[in-house]
Amino acid sequence: MIRVVLADDQELVRSAFAMLVRSAPDMDVVGEAADGDEAVALVRSTRADVVVMDIRMPGTDGITATGTIAADEDLSGVRVLILTTFESDHNVVAALRAGASGFLVKDTKPAQLLAAIRTVAAGEALLSPGATQALIERVLRQPDPAGPAPGALAALTKREREVLTLIGRGLSNGELAERMVISPLTAKTYVSRLLTKLDARDRAQLVIAAYESGLVRASAGSTQAPGRHSGAGDRDDGGTGKGSE
């Protein structure tokens, strides 16, 4: 059962989302918050799995609350799904940088919201729901002064940089495996190693790292995709990640 906290300053919105979430057989709403501080307190007391967080709330906003949750080691398993009214809201990227696992606009269809909760609860990033991919690309043209350390990529192998580039372009583990001609288990191993080496909370932060390091640029669709590697070691390493790099 996925335990969900809903954080939005509009009671009507919270009620509508609560009815929707409770209609799913694999989810339950364990708390509702009207501001960021209340959301953080509820997460700590209920041990929620996912917080559906509005950005703009009185008092402590959703970005600050997301950062508080992400910085608390005791809440390392909690995922934040940001809901915003406007696709042009540049605060979305600030929330992702703070530790959110993804975002949706509030006019998302009910089934898509439930699917999004399941996605982030499973540890995946939700960064390209329709046209919102363009938002990420546009806003991430502006480097974050607190982004990856200059030498962060130096610790990565050539193969790991290729994986990070593809993650930045939105590929799933299955798509990584297909593109790179490796097993899904090997793809998952590469992602895990990147999370460790870059000290990233989840896949969303890997996407941001890919942009801010320059591996992926705002016009990603026009950049040349990394070439396939066909070394037998990568295809047959059984998920150890010790193939040709």
Side-chain angles (χ1 to χ4, degrees), residues 42-242:
L42 278 172
V43 169
R44 287 176 173 151
S45 64
T46 63
R47 314 307 297 181
D49 300 304
V50 175
V51 185
V52 179
M53 183 90 73
D54 188 21
I55 288 181
R56 300 177 181 180
M57 295 182 287
T60 300
D61 61 32
I63 296 173
T64 302
T66 297
T68 299
I69 292 170
D72 190 332
E73 292 184 0
D74 291 337
L75 302 178
S76 60
V78 180
R79 297 291 177 258
V80 177
L81 176 63
I82 293 291
L83 280 175
T84 180
T85 304
F86 306 105
E87 289 188 358
S88 61
D89 191 341
H90 286 207
N91 286 328
V92 166
V93 173
L96 294 174
R97 284 173 174 150
S101 294
F103 73 94
L104 289 173
V105 291
K106 285 188 175 180
D107 62 356
T108 295
K109 294 180 180 179
Q112 291 176 323
L113 175 58
L114 296 179
I117 292 173
R118 294 184 182 103
T119 296
V120 298
E124 296 290 333
L126 186 77
L127 296 176
S128 44
T132 51
Q133 178 65 31
L135 167 64
I136 296 173
E137 293 178 352
R138 185 172 66 251
V139 178
L140 284 179
R141 292 175 187 175
Q142 305 171 1
D144 179 17
L153 292 187
L156 304 183
T157 66
K158 180 179 179 180
R159 193 66 156 157
E160 288 167 346
R161 290 189 185 202
E162 181 180 351
V163 174
L164 183 60
T165 300
L166 294 174
I167 291 173
R169 292 177 181 171
L171 272 66
S172 65
N173 284 359
E175 291 167 333
L176 285 175
E178 181 178 357
R179 176 72 67 88
M180 300 176 69
V181 197
I182 57 178
S183 72
L185 181 58
T186 301
K188 184 176 180 180
T189 298
Y190 275 122
V191 173
S192 296
R193 289 165 65 184
L194 286 170
L195 290 169
T196 299
K197 286 189 174 184
L198 297 178
D199 193 25
R201 177 180 172 88
D202 59 18
R203 201 183 190 95
Q205 293 194 325
L206 290 182
V207 173
I208 292 173
Y211 276 95
E212 293 184 336
S213 64
L215 288 177
V216 178
R217 302 192 183 279
S219 55
S222 62
T223 58
Q224 182 178 358
R228 285 190 176 188
H229 294 253
S230 56
D234 268 315
R235 289 194 301 270
D236 302 324
D237 65 8
T240 64
K242 296 181 180 178

